[in-house]
Amino acid sequence: MDETGRPEPERSFLRSTAAQTRLHELVPGGAHTYARGSDQYPEGMAPIIVRGEGARVLDLDGNWFVEYGMGLRAVTLGHAYQPVVEAVARGAASGSGFSRPSVWELEAAERFIQMVPGAEMVKFAKNGSDVTTAAVKLARAATGRDLVAVCSSQPFFSIDDWFIGTTAMNAGIPEATRALTVAFEYNNLQSLALLLAQYPNRIAAVIMEPATGTLEPDPGFLEGVRDLADKDGFVLIFDEIICGMRWSSAGAQSVYGVTPDLSTWGKALGNGFSVSALAGKRSLMELGGLNTDASRVFLLSNTHGAEVTGLAAYLSVADAYSERDVVGIMETQGSKLRSALLQVISEEGMSDYITISGRPSALLFATRDKNGRPSQEYRTLFIQELLRNGVLAQSLVISAAHSDDDIDITVVAVAAAAKTYARAIERGTTEGLLAGRSVAPALREFAAPRRLEGPK
């Protein structure tokens, strides 16, 4: 029995911890994506995944977890979704890359243009950062301007210098590059108008997510940004990397009825397979093509941009969305999850300390300490207790594969975690309940000391 009076779940993380230690010796940060790093999980409890099925994943120690976050929001149909896997296998069997365009490129482009009414042309790539940077380049070429305006309350747009230079991890990026990106506030048209006045005829692009898991546009906000773009002449770019395929197969732009000049897509486009897209107005996209008299933009020209398996995955995902209401299923299951979790959190008296917010298809949780302040230590405690009870969750981002059974397991895990959390709130500290160091923001200037021993 642990000190809360409940049986200690029989979960070991020894093999995962050993593998994570080895990863740190071979891979900077111990992972290929900062958000997947071991510093994002309780000490000695960072599972190394062997495989996934639907909404569940298996780690090296034989632990099965109900997973949320779903591959950093990239998986909407479930892990190893058979129609997509089979489509990718068929595509790969025909050859993965050629010296000329393949029929997959034509079929995928036609399908995408049908799916997203506001798009007149599309170009595929392999990751979201490439297409957002390409959109910025097009905007600069089209306008002859140099500045980019990003939404300050939205955490990530690209790994490239024009954006990462605005974050705490800006080492290696010249100040001259960092100065070319400015920021405005979401749902604050005045803040954008002030930027335009401060930098007249210099802002080439405004790039923003139409919405996020926690922020919906106020009435008239997106329409106002569109109007400012038309009046000022900047290029309006919607980052649909997360919203696209979660809000709608046609993107959040179709949900809110505002069409950008360019939009960028990724993540769920391939249900976890690597494929992204830049789409938008023909007049802009052709600056990277052959039907232009202007100086040409070097636009997304790389060996693997139209590699067959990514396009095959996208086509299969598009089929799945046309055959059933994938977004509707996520919204329904997410609503069930939120209602049930809010109830058990309330029953433990923790509603002021553990909160759940966001669109049902992209739910997030937040954690607060005894004084109501956001707390990484309490976040770590909450994640730790979820792991001990069979749930792997940096967020509560769901998929269409999450069944009622998966939700039931999650509710039981959150109820148990809330009991431990309540004990910490009563004490005013996580000491004695938290096994090791706390998690830390993924994008931070300095790496905190890490220890990799197993959980206590």
Short mmCIF file of all heavy atoms in Angstrom, two decimals, residues 69-76 128 131-132 154-157 208-214 238-249 251-253 264-269 321 327 330 359 361-364 395 397-398:
data_model
loop_
_atom_site.label_atom_id
_atom_site.label_comp_id
_atom_site.label_asym_id
_atom_site.label_seq_id
_atom_site.Cartn_x
_atom_site.Cartn_y
_atom_site.Cartn_z
N GLY A 69 -2.96 12.85 -26.55
CA GLY A 69 -1.95 13.59 -27.28
C GLY A 69 -1.80 13.00 -28.67
O GLY A 69 -1.60 13.70 -29.65
N MET A 70 -1.92 11.69 -28.77
CA MET A 70 -1.96 10.96 -30.02
C MET A 70 -0.90 11.42 -31.02
O MET A 70 -1.19 12.01 -32.05
CB MET A 70 -3.36 11.05 -30.64
CG MET A 70 -4.47 10.48 -29.76
SD MET A 70 -4.18 8.76 -29.22
CE MET A 70 -4.35 7.88 -30.77
N GLY A 71 0.36 11.14 -30.65
CA GLY A 71 1.45 11.49 -31.56
C GLY A 71 1.55 12.97 -31.80
O GLY A 71 1.68 13.42 -32.95
N LEU A 72 1.47 13.77 -30.70
CA LEU A 72 1.51 15.23 -30.80
C LEU A 72 0.39 15.74 -31.71
O LEU A 72 0.60 16.60 -32.56
CB LEU A 72 2.88 15.72 -31.29
CG LEU A 72 4.09 15.22 -30.51
CD1 LEU A 72 5.37 15.83 -31.05
CD2 LEU A 72 3.95 15.50 -29.02
N ARG A 73 -0.79 15.17 -31.53
CA ARG A 73 -2.03 15.55 -32.23
C ARG A 73 -2.06 15.08 -33.70
O ARG A 73 -2.93 15.51 -34.46
CB ARG A 73 -2.26 17.07 -32.18
CG ARG A 73 -2.43 17.64 -30.79
CD ARG A 73 -2.58 19.16 -30.87
NE ARG A 73 -2.88 19.75 -29.57
CZ ARG A 73 -1.97 20.09 -28.67
NH1 ARG A 73 -0.68 19.87 -28.93
NH2 ARG A 73 -2.30 20.65 -27.53
N ALA A 74 -1.13 14.23 -34.09
CA ALA A 74 -1.05 13.81 -35.48
C ALA A 74 -1.95 12.64 -35.83
O ALA A 74 -2.17 12.35 -37.00
CB ALA A 74 0.39 13.46 -35.84
N VAL A 75 -2.46 11.94 -34.82
CA VAL A 75 -3.23 10.71 -35.07
C VAL A 75 -4.69 10.95 -34.68
O VAL A 75 -5.00 11.18 -33.52
CB VAL A 75 -2.64 9.53 -34.26
CG1 VAL A 75 -3.50 8.29 -34.43
CG2 VAL A 75 -1.20 9.27 -34.68
N THR A 76 -5.57 10.91 -35.66
CA THR A 76 -7.00 11.08 -35.38
C THR A 76 -7.79 9.78 -35.56
O THR A 76 -8.86 9.63 -34.98
CB THR A 76 -7.63 12.15 -36.28
OG1 THR A 76 -7.43 11.80 -37.66
CG2 THR A 76 -7.03 13.52 -36.01
N GLY A 128 5.53 20.19 -40.90
CA GLY A 128 4.84 21.46 -40.80
C GLY A 128 5.76 22.66 -40.87
O GLY A 128 5.39 23.70 -41.44
N VAL A 131 6.47 23.88 -44.47
CA VAL A 131 5.41 24.58 -45.20
C VAL A 131 5.11 25.95 -44.60
O VAL A 131 4.74 26.88 -45.34
CB VAL A 131 4.13 23.70 -45.30
CG1 VAL A 131 4.40 22.51 -46.21
CG2 VAL A 131 3.61 23.25 -43.96
N THR A 132 5.26 26.11 -43.29
CA THR A 132 5.04 27.45 -42.74
C THR A 132 6.15 28.40 -43.20
O THR A 132 5.88 29.56 -43.53
CB THR A 132 4.98 27.43 -41.20
OG1 THR A 132 6.13 26.80 -40.66
CG2 THR A 132 3.72 26.73 -40.71
N GLN A 154 0.19 31.93 -29.23
CA GLN A 154 0.22 30.61 -29.84
C GLN A 154 1.67 30.12 -29.85
O GLN A 154 2.57 30.82 -30.32
CB GLN A 154 -0.38 30.67 -31.24
CG GLN A 154 -1.86 31.06 -31.18
CD GLN A 154 -2.49 31.32 -32.53
OE1 GLN A 154 -1.82 31.49 -33.54
NE2 GLN A 154 -3.82 31.37 -32.56
N PRO A 155 1.93 28.92 -29.30
CA PRO A 155 3.28 28.57 -28.89
C PRO A 155 4.26 28.18 -29.98
O PRO A 155 5.47 28.24 -29.77
CB PRO A 155 3.06 27.41 -27.93
CG PRO A 155 1.78 26.79 -28.40
CD PRO A 155 0.94 27.93 -28.87
N PHE A 156 3.79 27.75 -31.16
CA PHE A 156 4.76 27.18 -32.09
C PHE A 156 4.28 27.29 -33.54
O PHE A 156 3.12 27.00 -33.85
CB PHE A 156 5.00 25.71 -31.76
CG PHE A 156 6.22 25.15 -32.43
CD1 PHE A 156 7.47 25.33 -31.85
CD2 PHE A 156 6.14 24.47 -33.62
CE1 PHE A 156 8.62 24.83 -32.47
CE2 PHE A 156 7.27 23.97 -34.25
CZ PHE A 156 8.52 24.15 -33.67
N PHE A 157 5.23 27.71 -34.41
CA PHE A 157 4.93 27.77 -35.84
C PHE A 157 5.97 27.06 -36.70
O PHE A 157 5.63 26.56 -37.76
CB PHE A 157 4.82 29.24 -36.30
CG PHE A 157 3.61 29.95 -35.75
CD1 PHE A 157 3.72 30.79 -34.66
CD2 PHE A 157 2.35 29.75 -36.30
CE1 PHE A 157 2.61 31.43 -34.14
CE2 PHE A 157 1.24 30.38 -35.79
CZ PHE A 157 1.36 31.23 -34.71
N MET A 208 -1.02 32.85 -38.12
CA MET A 208 -1.72 32.53 -36.88
C MET A 208 -2.51 31.26 -37.05
O MET A 208 -2.90 30.88 -38.17
CB MET A 208 -2.68 33.67 -36.51
CG MET A 208 -3.74 33.93 -37.57
SD MET A 208 -4.80 35.35 -37.23
CE MET A 208 -5.64 34.75 -35.78
N GLU A 209 -2.75 30.57 -35.94
CA GLU A 209 -3.75 29.50 -35.93
C GLU A 209 -5.12 30.17 -35.85
O GLU A 209 -5.32 31.08 -35.05
CB GLU A 209 -3.54 28.58 -34.74
CG GLU A 209 -2.24 27.80 -34.77
CD GLU A 209 -2.09 26.93 -33.53
OE1 GLU A 209 -2.59 25.78 -33.56
OE2 GLU A 209 -1.49 27.39 -32.54
N PRO A 210 -6.09 29.73 -36.63
CA PRO A 210 -7.42 30.33 -36.54
C PRO A 210 -8.02 30.17 -35.14
O PRO A 210 -8.79 31.01 -34.68
CB PRO A 210 -8.25 29.57 -37.57
CG PRO A 210 -7.29 28.77 -38.37
CD PRO A 210 -6.00 28.68 -37.64
N ALA A 211 -7.65 29.08 -34.47
CA ALA A 211 -8.08 28.79 -33.10
C ALA A 211 -7.09 27.82 -32.50
O ALA A 211 -6.25 27.25 -33.21
CB ALA A 211 -9.49 28.21 -33.06
N THR A 212 -7.17 27.63 -31.20
CA THR A 212 -6.33 26.63 -30.54
C THR A 212 -7.21 25.78 -29.64
O THR A 212 -8.43 26.00 -29.56
CB THR A 212 -5.24 27.30 -29.68
OG1 THR A 212 -5.85 27.96 -28.57
CG2 THR A 212 -4.43 28.29 -30.48
N GLY A 213 -6.58 24.84 -28.94
CA GLY A 213 -7.34 24.00 -28.03
C GLY A 213 -8.04 24.79 -26.95
O GLY A 213 -9.07 24.37 -26.42
N THR A 214 -7.49 25.96 -26.60
CA THR A 214 -8.05 26.73 -25.49
C THR A 214 -8.61 28.08 -25.91
O THR A 214 -9.28 28.74 -25.12
CB THR A 214 -6.99 26.98 -24.40
OG1 THR A 214 -5.85 27.61 -24.99
CG2 THR A 214 -6.55 25.67 -23.77
N PHE A 238 -3.06 31.09 -42.45
CA PHE A 238 -3.62 30.30 -41.36
C PHE A 238 -2.80 29.03 -41.19
O PHE A 238 -2.63 28.26 -42.13
CB PHE A 238 -5.08 29.92 -41.65
CG PHE A 238 -6.07 30.98 -41.32
CD1 PHE A 238 -7.42 30.79 -41.62
CD2 PHE A 238 -5.70 32.17 -40.69
CE1 PHE A 238 -8.36 31.76 -41.31
CE2 PHE A 238 -6.64 33.16 -40.38
CZ PHE A 238 -7.97 32.95 -40.70
N ASP A 239 -2.28 28.86 -39.98
CA ASP A 239 -1.60 27.62 -39.62
C ASP A 239 -2.66 26.60 -39.21
O ASP A 239 -3.23 26.68 -38.13
CB ASP A 239 -0.64 27.91 -38.46
CG ASP A 239 0.12 26.68 -37.97
OD1 ASP A 239 -0.38 25.56 -38.17
OD2 ASP A 239 1.18 26.85 -37.37
N GLU A 240 -2.93 25.66 -40.11
CA GLU A 240 -3.93 24.61 -39.87
C GLU A 240 -3.27 23.29 -39.49
O GLU A 240 -3.89 22.23 -39.59
CB GLU A 240 -4.78 24.41 -41.13
CG GLU A 240 -5.63 25.59 -41.54
CD GLU A 240 -7.05 25.52 -41.00
OE1 GLU A 240 -7.29 24.72 -40.08
OE2 GLU A 240 -7.91 26.27 -41.50
N ILE A 241 -1.99 23.36 -39.05
CA ILE A 241 -1.26 22.13 -38.74
C ILE A 241 -2.02 21.29 -37.71
O ILE A 241 -2.11 20.06 -37.84
CB ILE A 241 0.15 22.46 -38.20
CG1 ILE A 241 0.93 23.33 -39.20
CG2 ILE A 241 0.90 21.17 -37.88
CD1 ILE A 241 1.31 22.66 -40.47
N ILE A 242 -2.60 21.94 -36.69
CA ILE A 242 -3.37 21.22 -35.67
C ILE A 242 -4.86 21.24 -36.01
O ILE A 242 -5.53 20.20 -35.96
CB ILE A 242 -3.12 21.84 -34.28
CG1 ILE A 242 -1.69 21.57 -33.82
CG2 ILE A 242 -4.11 21.27 -33.25
CD1 ILE A 242 -1.30 22.27 -32.53
N CYS A 243 -5.38 22.41 -36.35
CA CYS A 243 -6.83 22.52 -36.58
C CYS A 243 -7.31 21.68 -37.75
O CYS A 243 -8.38 21.05 -37.69
CB CYS A 243 -7.21 23.98 -36.84
SG CYS A 243 -6.95 25.09 -35.45
N GLY A 244 -6.53 21.69 -38.83
CA GLY A 244 -6.92 20.92 -40.00
C GLY A 244 -7.05 19.46 -39.66
O GLY A 244 -6.14 18.87 -39.08
N MET A 245 -8.18 18.85 -39.96
CA MET A 245 -8.52 17.45 -39.69
C MET A 245 -9.01 17.22 -38.27
O MET A 245 -9.53 16.15 -37.97
CB MET A 245 -7.35 16.49 -39.98
CG MET A 245 -6.63 16.73 -41.30
SD MET A 245 -7.72 16.62 -42.75
CE MET A 245 -7.87 14.84 -42.93
N ARG A 246 -8.87 18.22 -37.36
CA ARG A 246 -9.47 18.10 -36.02
C ARG A 246 -10.72 18.97 -35.90
O ARG A 246 -11.71 18.56 -35.32
CB ARG A 246 -8.47 18.47 -34.92
CG ARG A 246 -7.51 17.35 -34.62
CD ARG A 246 -6.79 17.48 -33.31
NE ARG A 246 -6.00 16.26 -33.09
CZ ARG A 246 -6.44 15.17 -32.51
NH1 ARG A 246 -7.68 15.12 -32.04
NH2 ARG A 246 -5.67 14.11 -32.36
N TRP A 247 -10.66 20.18 -36.42
CA TRP A 247 -11.86 21.03 -36.44
C TRP A 247 -12.77 20.60 -37.59
O TRP A 247 -13.97 20.58 -37.47
CB TRP A 247 -11.45 22.48 -36.60
CG TRP A 247 -11.19 23.26 -35.35
CD1 TRP A 247 -11.83 24.41 -34.98
CD2 TRP A 247 -10.22 23.00 -34.32
NE1 TRP A 247 -11.31 24.88 -33.79
CE2 TRP A 247 -10.32 24.02 -33.36
CE3 TRP A 247 -9.28 22.01 -34.12
CZ2 TRP A 247 -9.53 24.07 -32.22
CZ3 TRP A 247 -8.48 22.05 -33.00
CH2 TRP A 247 -8.61 23.07 -32.05
N SER A 248 -12.16 20.28 -38.71
CA SER A 248 -12.89 19.88 -39.91
C SER A 248 -11.87 19.37 -40.92
O SER A 248 -10.71 19.79 -40.90
CB SER A 248 -13.65 21.07 -40.50
OG SER A 248 -14.05 20.83 -41.83
N SER A 249 -12.30 18.49 -41.83
CA SER A 249 -11.40 18.06 -42.89
C SER A 249 -11.05 19.21 -43.81
O SER A 249 -10.02 19.18 -44.50
CB SER A 249 -12.03 16.91 -43.70
OG SER A 249 -13.23 17.34 -44.30
N GLY A 251 -10.57 22.20 -42.58
CA GLY A 251 -9.84 23.13 -41.74
C GLY A 251 -10.73 24.03 -40.92
O GLY A 251 -11.94 24.15 -41.14
N ALA A 252 -10.10 24.71 -39.95
CA ALA A 252 -10.83 25.67 -39.13
C ALA A 252 -11.35 26.82 -39.96
O ALA A 252 -12.35 27.46 -39.61
CB ALA A 252 -9.93 26.18 -38.00
N GLN A 253 -10.68 27.11 -41.08
CA GLN A 253 -11.16 28.18 -41.95
C GLN A 253 -12.58 27.92 -42.43
O GLN A 253 -13.37 28.86 -42.59
CB GLN A 253 -10.22 28.36 -43.13
CG GLN A 253 -10.02 27.12 -43.99
CD GLN A 253 -8.85 27.26 -44.95
OE1 GLN A 253 -8.99 27.77 -46.05
NE2 GLN A 253 -7.67 26.80 -44.53
N THR A 264 -1.38 26.29 -44.07
CA THR A 264 -0.37 25.23 -43.92
C THR A 264 -0.99 24.07 -43.14
O THR A 264 -1.74 24.27 -42.19
CB THR A 264 0.87 25.76 -43.19
OG1 THR A 264 0.52 26.25 -41.89
CG2 THR A 264 1.51 26.88 -44.00
N TRP A 265 -0.63 22.85 -43.54
CA TRP A 265 -1.27 21.64 -43.03
C TRP A 265 -0.22 20.60 -42.70
O TRP A 265 0.85 20.57 -43.28
CB TRP A 265 -2.22 21.06 -44.09
CG TRP A 265 -3.34 21.97 -44.48
CD1 TRP A 265 -3.22 23.16 -45.15
CD2 TRP A 265 -4.72 21.79 -44.23
NE1 TRP A 265 -4.47 23.71 -45.33
CE2 TRP A 265 -5.40 22.91 -44.77
CE3 TRP A 265 -5.46 20.79 -43.60
CZ2 TRP A 265 -6.77 23.04 -44.70
CZ3 TRP A 265 -6.83 20.92 -43.53
CH2 TRP A 265 -7.48 22.04 -44.08
N GLY A 266 -0.55 19.71 -41.75
CA GLY A 266 0.36 18.63 -41.40
C GLY A 266 -0.32 17.70 -40.42
O GLY A 266 -1.52 17.46 -40.48
N LYS A 267 0.46 17.15 -39.48
CA LYS A 267 -0.02 16.29 -38.41
C LYS A 267 -1.04 15.27 -38.90
O LYS A 267 -0.70 14.30 -39.54
CB LYS A 267 -0.55 17.13 -37.25
CG LYS A 267 0.58 17.89 -36.53
CD LYS A 267 0.14 18.42 -35.20
CE LYS A 267 1.22 19.26 -34.53
NZ LYS A 267 2.36 18.50 -34.01
N ALA A 268 -2.34 15.48 -38.62
CA ALA A 268 -3.36 14.47 -38.89
C ALA A 268 -3.60 14.23 -40.38
O ALA A 268 -4.34 13.32 -40.75
CB ALA A 268 -4.68 14.86 -38.22
N LEU A 269 -2.97 15.02 -41.23
CA LEU A 269 -3.13 14.83 -42.67
C LEU A 269 -2.80 13.40 -43.08
O LEU A 269 -3.40 12.85 -44.00
CB LEU A 269 -2.21 15.81 -43.41
CG LEU A 269 -2.61 16.30 -44.80
CD1 LEU A 269 -3.92 17.07 -44.75
CD2 LEU A 269 -1.51 17.17 -45.38
N TYR A 321 -12.31 10.00 -43.75
CA TYR A 321 -13.12 11.17 -43.40
C TYR A 321 -14.38 11.27 -44.26
O TYR A 321 -15.40 11.82 -43.82
CB TYR A 321 -12.29 12.44 -43.51
CG TYR A 321 -11.49 12.78 -42.27
CD1 TYR A 321 -10.42 11.98 -41.87
CD2 TYR A 321 -11.79 13.88 -41.50
CE1 TYR A 321 -9.69 12.27 -40.73
CE2 TYR A 321 -11.07 14.20 -40.36
CZ TYR A 321 -10.01 13.38 -39.97
OH TYR A 321 -9.29 13.68 -38.84
N VAL A 327 -14.44 13.70 -37.28
CA VAL A 327 -14.42 14.85 -36.37
C VAL A 327 -15.58 14.76 -35.38
O VAL A 327 -15.43 15.02 -34.18
CB VAL A 327 -14.47 16.17 -37.16
CG1 VAL A 327 -14.63 17.36 -36.21
CG2 VAL A 327 -13.22 16.33 -38.00
N MET A 330 -14.75 12.32 -32.62
CA MET A 330 -13.83 12.92 -31.64
C MET A 330 -14.54 13.92 -30.75
O MET A 330 -14.30 13.97 -29.53
CB MET A 330 -12.66 13.59 -32.37
CG MET A 330 -11.69 12.61 -33.01
SD MET A 330 -10.15 13.39 -33.59
CE MET A 330 -10.76 14.34 -34.98
N ARG A 359 -11.51 22.65 -27.02
CA ARG A 359 -12.46 21.97 -27.89
C ARG A 359 -12.45 20.48 -27.55
O ARG A 359 -11.41 19.91 -27.25
CB ARG A 359 -12.04 22.20 -29.35
CG ARG A 359 -13.14 22.00 -30.37
CD ARG A 359 -12.63 22.42 -31.75
NE ARG A 359 -13.70 22.33 -32.73
CZ ARG A 359 -14.53 23.32 -33.00
NH1 ARG A 359 -14.40 24.48 -32.38
NH2 ARG A 359 -15.49 23.18 -33.91
N SER A 361 -12.29 17.88 -29.22
CA SER A 361 -11.33 17.09 -29.99
C SER A 361 -9.89 17.45 -29.67
O SER A 361 -8.96 16.83 -30.20
CB SER A 361 -11.56 17.31 -31.50
OG SER A 361 -11.37 18.67 -31.84
N ALA A 362 -9.69 18.44 -28.78
CA ALA A 362 -8.32 18.88 -28.47
C ALA A 362 -8.24 19.38 -27.04
O ALA A 362 -7.77 20.49 -26.77
CB ALA A 362 -7.87 19.96 -29.45
N LEU A 363 -8.69 18.56 -26.09
CA LEU A 363 -8.75 18.98 -24.69
C LEU A 363 -7.36 19.06 -24.06
O LEU A 363 -6.45 18.30 -24.39
CB LEU A 363 -9.59 17.99 -23.89
CG LEU A 363 -11.08 17.95 -24.20
CD1 LEU A 363 -11.75 16.81 -23.43
CD2 LEU A 363 -11.76 19.28 -23.87
N LEU A 364 -7.22 20.00 -23.12
CA LEU A 364 -5.99 20.17 -22.35
C LEU A 364 -6.34 20.19 -20.87
O LEU A 364 -7.45 20.57 -20.50
CB LEU A 364 -5.31 21.48 -22.72
CG LEU A 364 -4.90 21.65 -24.19
CD1 LEU A 364 -4.42 23.08 -24.42
CD2 LEU A 364 -3.82 20.65 -24.58
N SER A 395 -1.61 15.69 -22.43
CA SER A 395 -2.82 16.47 -22.68
C SER A 395 -3.98 15.47 -22.66
O SER A 395 -3.80 14.31 -22.30
CB SER A 395 -2.74 17.16 -24.04
OG SER A 395 -2.80 16.18 -25.08
N VAL A 397 -5.86 15.23 -25.58
CA VAL A 397 -6.20 15.24 -27.00
C VAL A 397 -6.57 13.83 -27.42
O VAL A 397 -5.78 12.89 -27.30
CB VAL A 397 -5.04 15.79 -27.83
CG1 VAL A 397 -5.34 15.65 -29.32
CG2 VAL A 397 -4.79 17.26 -27.49
N ILE A 398 -7.76 13.70 -27.96
CA ILE A 398 -8.38 12.40 -28.18
C ILE A 398 -8.29 12.02 -29.67
O ILE A 398 -7.86 12.80 -30.51
CB ILE A 398 -9.86 12.48 -27.72
CG1 ILE A 398 -10.42 11.11 -27.33
CG2 ILE A 398 -10.73 13.17 -28.77
CD1 ILE A 398 -11.73 11.21 -26.54
#
